[in-house]
Amino acid sequence: MPDPCSPGRCDSLTGAWASPRDVRASTGLLGFSGRLGDAMWDFAGRDTAIDMGSATVRMHLRDRGVVCREPSLLARCRHTGRILALGGPAQEMAGRNPEVTLVRPVREGAPTETDAAEYMMRALVRRHQKRHYTARPRLVVTVPSGLSAVHYRALRFSAYQAGARRLTLLPTPIAAAIGMGMTSSMRSEVTVIANIGADVTDVGVIAFGGLVTSHTVLIGGSALDRAIVDLVRREHQVSLSHSAAEAAKLKVGAVPPLGRRPVKQVEVNGRDIATGMPRTIVLTTVDVGRAIAGPVAEIVDAIGVGVSGCSPEISGELLSVGVTLTGGSARLPGLDRLIRDRTGLGARVGDDTGDAAVLGAGEVLRATRSEDKPARDSAPNPHLLTTLPELEY
């Protein structure tokens, strides 16, 4: 069977899906009752959790774990509008093929191009479910805690069009805390999560099985990359790609002051603005630190605002609890120290920071499987989960 991501499949993949009830009626599942009907409906696909990041989309399947870590990118033909590639293959086409334009379906943690986000979700679900035309799984999708009504409707539309038969939306701080085993409905301890993604920093305080307070700000790792690009253009008159800036950040980036940390350097290639010719420059840890100082300060300020909304009773525990950093940008050297100096709260980098949210969403699917209504009785409206289910560790 052809890969749904191959060229020429776009037209057949954008047709609208029928409602879950219509599909069950057409397949005869509506006439079955009890466990038999539910078992036949569950055959349509494994429970699936998706972390729709602005830079990376991750997918978790029941009994299989994390099966997908793909760049949130689509390659689209400029002339026909067809989708040519998804994820890594699309990223390889960036700037190399003039006939191809790159599409980022997810920005600020939510779909901004509904059709492209629907295509990406549907293609990934079909590819990893290995049922290209019948995959209709239960779906849990992580979302920013400050998700707007517009983004909520866009995500709901994309998920159901992509084939979800039941949809649950899970705030990212809760998902990350569950993924690291730091909280559950049976524990009263306070947990503070700061998820630093590509476009969004999401801070949440969790206690007594629910999200007490949260704060979302539109800044993340992409802002650090843009700051490096701007510094290189301003001081060296060289145009640098965002991928090159990200590579330099990962290799030599650190939050000033460096202290005893050694100064590293890296060579990056760009285009000379005056001559248009290729040019290589050297960036040091000091250069990258100067560039990212502003965006990093905004991230730290966001963490301070996020914890300032707690009640006095919870605030008293924050000094002993501290902040746990998750997300792709959480491992920036020196960030935990800067948070401690600016806010007075201890900070630590969580284990498996990138996959924490999708692992937590997978745990929620496992815990709520026995509590869900039968598929034939489910409503097409998504459920926003702000309290933790009973989890077994």
Side-chain angles (χ1 to χ4, degrees):
M1 186 171 291
D3 188 341
C5 296
S6 62
R9 299 297 299 172
C10 181
D11 296 338
S12 62
L13 286 172
T14 54
W17 283 79
S19 68
R21 183 177 180 86
D22 292 339
V23 172
R24 291 195 296 273
S26 64
T27 57
L29 292 179
L30 196 61
F32 290 92
S33 60
R35 295 182 180 178
L36 177 60
D38 294 338
M40 293 185 67
W41 186 243
D42 287 342
F43 180 75
R46 293 175 183 265
D47 294 344
T48 303
I50 298 180
D51 179 17
M52 293 283 288
S54 301
T56 306
V57 56
R58 294 174 171 86
M59 179 180 292
H60 178 284
L61 294 186
R62 178 170 53 88
D63 299 330
R64 290 179 56 191
V66 180
V67 297
C68 169
R69 299 177 186 88
E70 289 279 359
S72 300
L73 283 176
L74 296 175
R76 176 187 290 162
C77 178
R78 292 182 183 273
H79 302 293
T80 65
R82 289 178 174 175
I83 303 299
L84 305 178
L86 180 153
Q91 191 173 41
E92 294 176 358
M93 296 183 181
R96 292 176 170 84
N97 190 338
E99 304 299 322
V100 172
T101 179
L102 288 185
V103 179
R104 295 185 178 271
V106 181
R107 294 182 184 273
E108 301 174 5
T112 51
E113 293 199 23
T114 307
D115 292 341
E118 171 196 337
Y119 179 94
M120 183 173 68
M121 293 178 69
R122 183 187 302 166
L124 291 175
V125 166
R126 288 180 174 179
R127 177 191 299 175
H128 295 287
Q129 293 280 350
K130 295 184 169 54
R131 294 187 181 99
H132 286 231
Y133 295 100
T134 61
R136 294 182 65 81
R138 287 193 326 149
L139 204 61
V140 170
V141 180
T142 62
V143 296
S145 58
L147 187 70
S148 67
V150 173
H151 287 161
Y152 170 84
R153 288 192 294 269
L155 182 56
R156 179 183 61 183
F157 178 83
S158 298
Y160 281 122
Q161 289 293 98
R165 74 172 185 270
R166 190 180 298 127
L167 176 63
T168 300
L169 304 181
L170 183 65
T172 301
I174 293 181
I178 295 174
M180 292 185 293
M182 298 179 61
T183 188
S184 71
S185 60
M186 306 302 293
R187 295 169 60 179
S188 60
E189 292 88 349
V190 177
T191 301
V192 183
I193 298 293
N195 188 81
I196 307 172
D199 287 350
V200 175
T201 295
D202 200 357
V203 185
V205 180
I206 304 165
F208 303 101
L211 192 63
V212 176
T213 183
S214 64
H215 178 64
T216 302
V217 62
L218 301 180
I219 191 168
S222 296
L224 274 61
D225 300 339
R226 290 193 296 270
I228 296 172
V229 171
D230 292 341
L231 178 135
V232 170
R233 174 180 286 270
R234 183 174 60 252
E235 296 188 359
H236 299 276
Q237 289 73 51
V238 171
S239 178
L240 199 64
S241 68
H242 285 271
S243 59
E246 181 182 13
K249 177 189 68 177
L250 295 176
K251 191 165 185 178
V252 304
V255 176
L258 299 179
R260 296 182 178 180
R261 187 175 293 110
V263 176
K264 301 178 182 179
Q265 63 182 25
V266 61
E267 290 186 351
V268 293
N269 300 319
R271 180 176 59 85
D272 190 288
I273 296 176
T275 65
M277 299 298 292
R279 182 176 161 192
T280 300
I281 62 171
V282 175
L283 291 178
T284 67
T285 305
V286 176
D287 296 329
V288 175
R290 286 191 298 112
I292 65 178
V296 167
E298 293 185 46
I299 292 174
V300 175
D301 291 342
I303 295 174
V305 173
V307 300
S308 65
C310 298
S311 64
E313 292 78 9
I314 293 180
S315 296
E317 299 184 33
L318 295 183
L319 290 175
S320 59
V321 171
V323 181
T324 300
L325 306 179
T326 65
S329 302
R331 294 189 177 277
L332 185 67
L335 180 59
D336 52 347
R337 175 189 46 77
L338 183 62
I339 293 173
R340 184 170 57 252
D341 294 343
R342 293 280 185 89
T343 66
L345 301 176
R348 74 176 188 90
V349 179
D351 301 329
D352 204 3
T353 56
D355 290 343
V358 74
L359 290 173
E363 285 294 322
V364 168
L365 268 174
R366 182 180 62 84
T368 58
R369 180 173 176 80
S370 60
E371 302 174 6
D372 274 343
K373 298 178 181 179
R376 61 186 181 280
D377 298 330
S378 62
N381 294 320
H383 172 52
L384 180 61
L385 189 66
T386 56
T387 57
L388 279 68
E390 295 187 6
L391 302 173
E392 298 179 0
Y393 292 101

